[in-house]
Amino acid sequence: MSTSTWKSGESVSEQFPAGLRVLVVDDDPTCLKIVEKMLKTCNYEVTTCNRAEKALALLQAHRNGFDIVISDVHMPDMDGFKLLERIGLEMDLPVIMMSADDGKQVVMKGVTHGACDYLIKPIRIEELKNIWQHVVRKRKNEWKELEQSTSIEDGVDRAHKQSEDADYSSSANEGGNWKSSKRRKDEEDELEERDDTSTLKKPRVVWSVELHQQFVAAVNQLGIDKAVPKKILELMNVPGLTRENVASHLQKYRLYLRRLSGVSQHQGGVSNSFMGTQDATFSPISSLTGLDLQTLAVTGQLPPQSLATLQAVGFARPSPKSGLSIPMIDQRNLFSFDNSKFKFGEGQGQQQQQQPNLGNNKQLNLLHGIPTTMEPKQLANLHQSLENISNMQVPVSQGNSILMHRGTARLPPNVGQPVTSNGLPGGLLPRNGHAENGRGAGGYTNPVPQTTSSAALTFPLNHGTELPGTNSFPPLGSPPGIQSLTHKGQFPQDITVNSEIKGSTAGGFIPGYYVLNDLQQLRSHDWELQNVGLNFDSPQSASSLPGSLESASSSLYVQQGISRSGPLRNSSSGGSKPSFPVEGTHNQNLGSIVNSSVRIKSENVVDAGCPSTLYPEHFGQEDLMSALLKQQEGIGPGNPDFDFDGYNIDNIPV
Amino acid sequence: MDQRNQFHRQVALMRQSLFDQGYIDEQFVQLEELQDDTNPNFVEEVVTLYYRDSARLIVSIEQALDKSPLDFNKLDSLMHQFKGSSSSIGARKVKAECTQFREYCKAENGEG
């Protein structure tokens, strides 16, 4: 069956979403015809296919010929989910499932296999009218991802993409650009990206959905017990991916799985497991917020998963101890795993985990741990945790509960929303300088300079309004909103963040992230934390942030904002030097944001002890930062003094 | 002209009765709405397609029913397909029957 011709390139941006190229796969001819007609009525370009194999062949033959795929679940020649996976892995196109079957298990299966949406038959035209949103969203994420991975090389990459874009045209201009650039980047430039990043201090691997799916497929193929990084690497066959990347990701994944099975309620289970693995050290961080944040940061890597991370963070908070003494790195790792784990499972949508616990402990942690580099994803997570923190406003230890709530509020999976975290920072500030700071600070080094910065920046903006003061707990609801704003840039996954953030301090954060090799995932978290912290500071910081993002100085501002609580603020502002030596120029930008986070982080990272002075102010920030930093551990500039002017990613001990 | 009008009226009445008796539902209306000048016989085409496809399905179902012991899984999947098609065109009653049939399959109730 096939009909409409697919175009390989014209962009019809003006008429978008008209002209969207859809491939429909269904063995039922009646339904196929009806859907085809409906799509045509929506002015889309339709190609139909009644066999999955044929569909795959078509997709492979016309690599950029389709924008979205709609597939039936039950098909005689191939299972719809298998097709979904294949498409996701090979082409990374958004796929919508449809079926007369509306059982929860089936729908859940669709979600876990990565479907963008699930439609129940009979299909109504209204539902089809809306499918373009998935295309745009996916492109946006891809773009951000690309940006992220090449944060440092951001400009280069972007230019790259742009030129490539010219060749690719898709139905939507922007979409096409993103798509093509992203696609090119992902498919062809992956290696290049890696190279780029490798030139930077530490190459950061962005675990995109696609990549992750490949990873999961490889792991499942080998068997979760037998899956060794080397074999996984071979199976995945992704150029530029190192065994180390796979190893760390696998670790996270394992934790995630463990968490899934072991966690009945998000908080107890996860954190326990985390704690267990980590050992006592966590407890200091336990302030939970830190932990949570960390996890959040960690998970940053995983797409959507911002929620997951939050949850993870929540989990991570095994015991609200305020002593961040826990080695940040450990925490971070845990978090990352958790986060990643969460991401895995929860990315799908579980944010529920946000767990209220986060609020409790997290508060403190969040502040400290706010790694500057948190990637958007992480930020989102952090955000949540931060929220908790902010809510907590109360001295971290005490406020925990409140923060948790915030955290629970769950930052939108998009993580990009560090904004929420902003609220937290303020609240968290009360925590005084706990080791948490070290948490965040240490970790990030550059990896996500861009995204984080943006995230951070956005936060302030959003946050400013939201986070009234440290003491008041900004309504949970609001942070999420803010988050989205801030996240814009932040998505670790989305590379765009970098570009956006450029100006924002968030950029600085990102670099921090990169430093953390392992923490990559954490980065996102950190970022969130950072942002959160920043935003927290107060609206003013928000305003200042946007502007200041550009300059490191602004970051300071942000920090100050975070320190709303006052005391922290001073220290933070003082300490946060706008310029973070973070690896790339980004750091500078982010510097301000990063600074705050860095400071926190570095403190945390450096040693639990140091940062305390600075942190106290930032509590909220610190937690985030510490969380972030923790992740970054390696990145953290170990400046014990809070003045981290810009933390050098390199310095951050991972 | 007059005759045409009469035919139209008859068709409209028949259509309405189908609705009233629950043979078809809202989805059918959607199909009708999809029909337009560029594709004036859309509904007709779809329904024809449906008949052909469901005839094939019914044959398969009959064959499966003749076997013994009854392969409920196969029957269930056939029914699922049938149900999907029916619901797509708005054949409500058929769809309801399919659902019930599937219930029986799940319960492994051969008599049902």
Side-chain angles (χ1 to χ4, degrees):
Chain A
M1 322 200 185
S2 50
T3 47
S4 58
T5 51
W6 44 275
K7 306 196 251 196
S8 39
E10 280 81 80
S11 32
V12 194
S13 51
E14 310 80 49
Q15 323 162 14
F16 187 78
L20 200 67
R21 294 156 306 169
V22 189
L23 175 67
V24 189
V25 190
D26 193 345
D27 62 320
D28 179 2
T30 314
C31 178
L32 200 57
K33 189 165 182 69
I34 295 177
V35 173
E36 180 193 358
K37 182 72 170 76
M38 285 183 179
L39 290 169
K40 286 220 181 105
T41 308
C42 297
N43 289 327
Y44 294 149
E45 276 184 25
V46 189
T47 309
T48 61
C49 204
N50 63 347
R51 291 185 57 83
E53 297 295 342
K54 213 161 28 128
L56 271 176
L58 267 176
L59 285 169
Q60 278 158 358
H62 310 295
R63 275 261 148 178
N64 274 313
F66 297 101
D67 297 311
I68 189 166
V69 180
I70 301 182
S71 169
D72 184 37
V73 168
H74 298 284
M75 286 192 288
D77 57 337
M78 187 197 283
D79 183 34
F81 295 119
K82 226 163 356 110
L83 179 67
L84 160 66
E85 269 184 353
R86 290 277 303 270
I87 296 178
L89 285 178
E90 293 179 21
M91 289 129 221
D92 197 21
L93 279 175
V95 183
I96 294 180
M97 304 301 292
M98 60 178 176
S99 177
D101 196 348
D102 58 353
K104 263 209 333 199
Q105 272 72 17
V106 190
V107 180
M108 176 58 93
K109 220 173 150 202
V111 173
T112 53
H113 283 76
C116 287
D117 204 354
Y118 190 102
L119 305 177
I120 310 284
K121 291 185 186 173
I123 310 278
R124 289 187 304 281
I125 192 167
E126 296 85 40
E127 296 175 344
L128 291 176
K129 271 208 195 117
N130 234 5
I131 62 177
W132 60 269
Q133 62 171 300
H134 302 295
V135 179
V136 175
R137 190 179 297 123
K138 190 132 196 158
R139 287 195 191 144
K140 200 150 144 339
N141 286 340
E142 288 173 348
W143 175 260
K144 282 202 201 165
E145 252 177 67
L146 283 176
E147 293 219 10
Q148 267 189 355
S149 55
T150 57
S151 57
I152 309 268
E153 303 289 334
D154 185 50
V156 176
D157 290 334
R158 208 134 8 145
H160 224 2
K161 292 192 235 169
Q162 315 259 321
S163 52
E164 293 181 350
D165 284 350
D167 302 346
Y168 294 83
S169 42
S170 47
S171 40
N173 273 345
E174 312 99 36
N177 283 347
W178 286 339
K179 202 165 164 203
S180 45
S181 57
K182 174 186 99 78
R183 215 177 256 248
R184 294 274 288 276
K185 258 204 137 26
D186 287 348
E187 297 167 1
E188 304 166 3
D189 301 340
E190 206 172 72
L191 184 55
E192 175 183 336
E193 284 180 9
R194 298 220 202 259
D195 289 343
D196 287 341
T197 50
S198 55
T199 54
L200 298 177
K201 295 283 172 53
K202 295 185 190 174
R204 200 166 146 352
V205 174
V206 176
W207 282 90
S208 64
V209 177
E210 178 180 31
L211 203 56
H212 176 65
Q213 275 184 336
Q214 271 180 284
F215 170 83
V216 175
V219 170
N220 290 336
Q221 204 172 321
L222 294 168
I224 187 68
D225 292 336
K226 297 214 196 66
V228 282
K230 193 157 189 296
K231 292 220 181 102
I232 297 176
L233 187 64
E234 284 169 18
L235 272 179
M236 285 177 67
N237 194 21
V238 169
L241 190 65
T242 70
R243 198 198 71 78
E244 288 71 33
N245 297 140
V246 176
S248 72
H249 194 71
L250 176 66
Q251 212 178 356
K252 292 186 188 144
Y253 185 63
R254 286 224 175 95
L255 279 170
Y256 166 74
L257 291 180
R258 191 155 19 119
R259 184 200 295 263
L260 278 187
S261 53
V263 175
S264 45
Q265 20 174 325
H266 40 272
Q267 306 172 349
V270 178
S271 46
N272 290 334
S273 52
F274 252 19
M275 296 284 290
T277 49
Q278 304 277 340
D279 64 308
T281 50
F282 278 97
S283 28
I285 305 207
S286 56
S287 358
L288 283 192
T289 47
L291 279 179
D292 290 336
L293 289 176
Q294 292 198 336
T295 43
L296 286 176
V298 176
T299 47
Q301 278 284 326
L302 291 178
Q305 327 322 3
S306 40
L307 286 181
T309 41
L310 274 180
Q311 297 189 347
V313 174
F315 279 88
R317 299 207 298 181
S319 43
K321 303 194 210 190
S322 44
L324 284 181
S325 54
I326 302 183
M328 309 242 269
I329 304 184
D330 288 349
Q331 288 194 340
R332 279 188 299 185
N333 288 335
L334 278 186
F335 284 112
S336 48
F337 284 121
D338 268 356
N339 289 334
S340 43
K341 286 220 243 156
F342 275 105
K343 285 202 189 188
F344 292 106
E346 306 197 299
Q348 305 284 340
Q350 310 241 357
Q351 308 200 337
Q352 21 170 295
Q353 305 246 352
Q354 309 227 326
Q355 336 180 348
N357 292 329
L358 290 177
N360 303 323
N361 300 321
K362 292 213 292 198
Q363 293 193 341
L364 297 177
N365 296 330
L366 287 177
L367 287 176
H368 295 302
I370 308 186
T372 49
T373 57
M374 285 217 296
E375 301 210 338
K377 281 203 260 200
Q378 301 193 336
L379 281 176
N381 293 329
L382 285 176
H383 199 49
Q384 296 197 348
S385 40
L386 284 176
E387 286 197 309
N388 289 333
I389 305 188
S390 48
N391 289 325
M392 306 241 315
Q393 301 224 343
V394 188
V396 182
S397 47
Q398 304 170 6
N400 297 330
S401 51
I402 305 186
L403 283 181
M404 299 220 338
H405 282 300
R406 288 276 306 227
T408 48
R410 258 200 38 194
L411 298 172
N414 290 329
V415 183
Q417 333 269 348
V419 174
T420 50
S421 47
N422 291 327
L424 289 175
L428 291 178
L429 291 180
R431 247 251 262 187
N432 300 300
H434 260 308
E436 290 188 349
N437 296 328
R439 286 196 302 184
Y444 304 95
T445 40
N446 9 7
V448 195
Q450 307 217 339
T451 48
T452 47
S453 41
S454 44
L457 291 176
T458 45
F459 268 142
L461 291 178
N462 296 323
H463 241 6
T465 51
E466 295 255 6
L467 302 176
T470 55
N471 296 324
S472 52
F473 293 110
L476 290 178
S478 48
I482 304 191
Q483 292 181 329
S484 46
L485 288 178
T486 52
H487 277 296
K488 282 208 278 200
Q490 306 185 349
F491 281 85
Q493 307 168 19
D494 302 328
I495 312 272
T496 53
V497 174
N498 289 330
S499 46
E500 291 180 24
I501 311 193
K502 289 298 207 46
S504 55
T505 51
F509 290 130
I510 302 188
Y513 264 96
Y514 283 110
V515 174
L516 293 177
N517 293 327
D518 272 1
L519 300 180
Q520 293 176 353
Q521 313 212 336
L522 289 174
R523 289 199 296 162
S524 51
H525 289 298
D526 290 335
W527 198 44
E528 292 185 330
L529 286 174
Q530 281 196 338
N531 289 333
V532 171
L534 294 175
N535 290 331
F536 225 42
D537 284 328
S538 54
Q540 31 178 291
S541 29
S543 51
S544 58
L545 284 178
S548 54
L549 290 180
E550 303 286 349
S551 53
S553 52
S554 49
S555 56
L556 281 181
Y557 198 86
V558 173
Q559 289 190 333
Q560 308 197 346
I562 302 184
S563 50
R564 289 205 286 194
S565 47
L568 287 179
R569 180 158 342 187
N570 298 329
S571 50
S572 55
S573 44
S576 55
K577 302 231 195 137
S579 51
F580 278 101
V582 182
E583 302 215 333
T585 48
H586 292 302
N587 293 331
Q588 291 290 332
N589 290 334
L590 293 176
S592 44
I593 301 192
V594 171
N595 288 328
S596 35
S597 58
V598 172
R599 290 210 313 177
I600 301 189
K601 284 209 289 207
S602 47
E603 291 194 324
N604 293 333
V605 172
V606 184
D607 51 354
C610 320
S612 42
T613 40
L614 285 181
Y615 296 124
E617 295 188 338
H618 290 283
F619 242 149
Q621 264 189 337
E622 290 184 330
D623 282 344
L624 285 178
M625 301 253 325
S626 47
L628 288 170
L629 289 176
K630 285 214 199 147
Q631 295 187 349
Q632 305 237 346
E633 288 198 343
I635 310 181
N639 306 324
D641 13 76
F642 298 131
D643 251 12
F644 300 114
D645 292 345
Y647 51 95
N648 294 312
I649 305 201
D650 294 338
N651 296 340
I652 304 184
V654 172
Chain B
M1 249 352 210
D2 212 19
Q3 268 223 311
R4 271 189 66 190
N5 286 343
Q6 256 197 329
F7 278 139
H8 281 182
R9 236 179 312 125
Q10 257 191 323
V11 168
L13 276 175
M14 270 179 60
R15 175 182 173 279
Q16 188 54 39
S17 79
L18 282 177
F19 269 107
D20 294 339
Q21 293 181 52
Y23 282 109
I24 48 182
D25 59 16
E26 284 311 301
Q27 182 67 11
F28 194 74
V29 178
Q30 287 234 350
L31 286 193
E32 290 180 329
E33 282 169 7
L34 279 176
Q35 181 160 302
D36 56 16
D37 290 338
T38 65
N39 207 338
N41 299 323
F42 178 68
V43 181
E44 181 198 335
E45 286 172 10
V46 175
V47 177
T48 310
L49 197 55
Y50 171 71
Y51 280 147
R52 241 190 290 142
D53 189 49
S54 52
R56 184 180 54 84
L57 267 177
I58 291 177
V59 168
S60 311
I61 293 172
E62 273 181 356
Q63 285 175 345
L65 281 173
D66 282 338
K67 288 206 211 119
S68 90
L70 289 176
D71 184 354
F72 286 109
N73 283 336
K74 179 119 178 55
L75 279 176
D76 187 67
S77 66
L78 281 175
M79 266 304 146
H80 177 76
Q81 259 191 299
F82 199 21
K83 180 180 167 205
S85 303
S86 313
S87 58
S88 293
I89 70 158
R92 188 159 77 99
K93 214 154 186 235
V94 179
K95 181 173 125 184
E97 295 300 323
C98 288
T99 311
Q100 210 186 18
F101 195 110
R102 290 189 83 199
E103 290 298 314
Y104 287 135
C105 283
K106 273 202 272 201
E108 310 233 326
N109 183 347
E111 296 306 311

